[in-house]
Amino acid sequence: MSRPIRADISLAAFGRNYAAARRHAPQSRVLAVVKANAYGHGLARVAKALPQADGFATLEIDGAVRLRESGFVREIVLLEGFFEPAELTAIAASRLATAVHSEDQLRMLETLRLPAPVDCYLKINTGMNRLGFAPEAAREVLGRLQASGAARSITLMTHFATADGHEGVHEAMNRFETATHGIDLPKSLANSAAIFAHPRTHADTVRAGIALYGATPFADRSAEELGLAPAMTLRSRLISIQDLGPGDPVGYGATFHALHAMRVGVVACGYADGYPRHAPNGTPVLVDGVRTVTAGRVSMDMITVDLTAAPGARVGSEVVLWGEGLPIDEVAHSAGTVGYELMCALAPRVPVVEVA
Ligand SMILES: *Cc1c(COP(=O)(O)O)cnc(C)c1O
């Protein structure tokens, strides 16, 4: 038998979660965001599981071109656009859509001879302060893009910094509406948090990322409350059991000591598999379907878990690190991060099994 870790990826979950996003934004086109190898789930796998998607949005141009070449005929948007002339030419040749967020990109569109005009998402910075043109510059930039002749279509776009939090989208929406008032072009604003929490942002096209994968974008609303099913379940098994006496330590740094006689299970899963090294003692884990906690530091290939709650556990017992029965968001919260980071970090050495 080989090392027992694996990631089960539920193909049905993508369809269910896509449908949940669509239910919340019924008047909008729903782009499935598949950047970072579909948040660790496999770009080709997710694309194949979502033939009903109105389109896909990603960052990596190679993946976008492959998706086009695999026969997907609807929209594929590059969320950061292009970085050099050759990429813009490839975008035009593969009929991809591109974000246009910078003066550099605009100049390339103005000066390059392209094989065909491209679909452009003109990005306006409404407070995130990462990418995009200042709201005050939006009209002038739009005029230049239209005059360039390089744009086959133009969608006005922004991205929210606080759609998931109590600040909400009010200020960003005011800036966007002021910048675009009276301009009759399609608009794309909403990420997953805005899809679920802010209907006024839905407009023509929404961009669903984390929700597709069955995790929550919110700190205070669970994926289950949002009607989302986990797509990834990280599974392994116990490969050893240690009987500890009072005061015995476990693992590197001896960060955990048994208070009394207890059993500790050793799980074949460590930070080289994508499990967060900074997950502290007490991070939730399932053993034989019973909820228990980690005890001792996460190492490269193993974690150790308290078996007090699972007296029947033995070598070979099933362990769920996150997914079915244990929301990834709970593990992330314990480790001081978000579900996004954990799923993106799934390591290439973990075998993936596609399940219904
Ligand atoms: C990643 C990304 C999204 C998706 O965000 P989620 O929170 O995962 O839904 C949407 N829009 C842009 C521009 C992004 O970069």
Side-chain angles (χ1 to χ4, degrees):
M1 200 184 91
S2 52
R3 191 165 176 261
I5 191 167
R6 70 176 200 267
D8 284 350
I9 305 255
S10 162
L11 301 183
F14 300 124
R16 279 180 57 187
N17 296 335
Y18 185 87
R22 185 182 287 307
R23 267 198 312 283
H24 280 82
Q27 313 294 335
S28 310
R29 291 190 320 139
V30 179
L31 299 182
V33 180
V34 290
K35 60 191 176 191
N37 195 30
Y39 292 44
H41 294 71
L43 171 61
R45 179 176 295 123
V46 175
K48 188 183 62 178
L50 285 176
Q52 71 273 43
D54 297 324
F56 290 98
T58 187
L59 242 75
E60 299 86 3
I61 191 162
D62 300 5
V65 169
R66 266 186 274 121
L67 191 53
R68 179 62 84 222
E69 286 171 353
S70 77
F72 185 75
V73 298
R74 294 184 206 154
E75 189 166 58
I76 304 171
V77 187
L78 289 165
L79 292 169
E80 284 182 2
F82 48 94
F83 296 85
E84 55 186 40
E87 290 183 340
L88 178 53
T89 304
I91 285 168
S94 288
R95 290 164 292 110
L96 307 176
T98 179
V100 179
H101 65 76
S102 71
E103 177 62 31
D104 276 359
Q105 290 176 332
L106 189 54
R107 243 185 260 129
M108 284 187 246
L109 284 159
E110 286 176 325
T111 55
L112 278 180
R113 295 248 242 128
L114 296 174
V118 298
D119 296 312
C120 294
Y121 277 64
L122 185 62
K123 187 159 186 180
I124 300 166
N125 171 20
T126 55
M128 176 77 94
N129 291 322
R130 297 188 313 192
L131 302 182
F133 295 97
E136 307 74 50
R139 277 163 216 274
E140 190 223 320
V141 167
L142 174 61
R144 282 174 59 192
L145 187 55
Q146 285 168 327
S148 74
R152 191 171 75 145
S153 70
I154 301 176
T155 300
L156 300 172
M157 172 191 187
T158 194
H159 189 47
F160 296 120
T162 55
D164 58 319
H166 65 271
E167 302 95 324
V169 296
H170 187 71
E171 274 194 40
M173 280 301 279
N174 282 348
R175 290 190 190 114
F176 187 81
E177 280 165 1
T178 304
T180 62
H181 182 74
I183 304 177
D184 186 20
L185 285 175
K187 300 180 178 69
S188 175
L189 300 82
N191 56 4
S192 295
I195 291 169
F196 285 90
H198 305 292
R200 65 183 283 230
T201 66
H202 289 173
D204 300 274
T205 301
V206 301
R207 308 184 300 268
I210 193 72
L212 286 181
Y213 307 102
T216 181
F218 304 108
D220 56 357
R221 289 169 78 187
S222 71
E224 191 179 4
E225 278 172 71
L226 301 174
L228 302 173
M232 177 192 294
T233 299
L234 183 60
R235 298 182 189 278
S236 190
R237 292 180 187 274
L238 298 185
I239 57 170
S240 175
I241 290 179
Q242 296 288 338
D243 288 296
L244 304 187
D248 286 347
V250 181
Y252 286 119
T255 63
F256 177 88
H257 290 83
L259 285 178
H260 39 74
M262 67 181 289
R263 293 197 314 150
V264 164
V266 180
V267 183
C269 174
Y271 60 78
D273 300 299
Y275 197 85
R277 183 179 175 277
H278 40 281
N281 292 333
T283 298
V285 59
L286 299 184
V287 177
D288 278 341
V290 179
R291 202 179 159 103
T292 180
V293 295
T294 61
R297 195 174 278 170
V298 173
S299 54
M300 186 182 287
D301 311 307
M302 285 170 256
I303 63 171
T304 38
V305 300
D306 184 344
L307 293 182
T308 309
R314 55 192 163 75
V315 169
S317 282
E318 281 258 11
V319 175
V320 171
L321 288 315
W322 62 64
E324 224 173 84
L326 178 59
I328 194 169
D329 300 302
E330 285 189 38
V331 179
H333 180 74
S334 175
T337 184
V338 287
Y340 297 73
E341 187 181 8
L342 299 190
M343 51 179 75
C344 287
L346 182 74
R349 82 174 188 184
V350 177
V352 168
V353 177
E354 292 181 0
V355 299

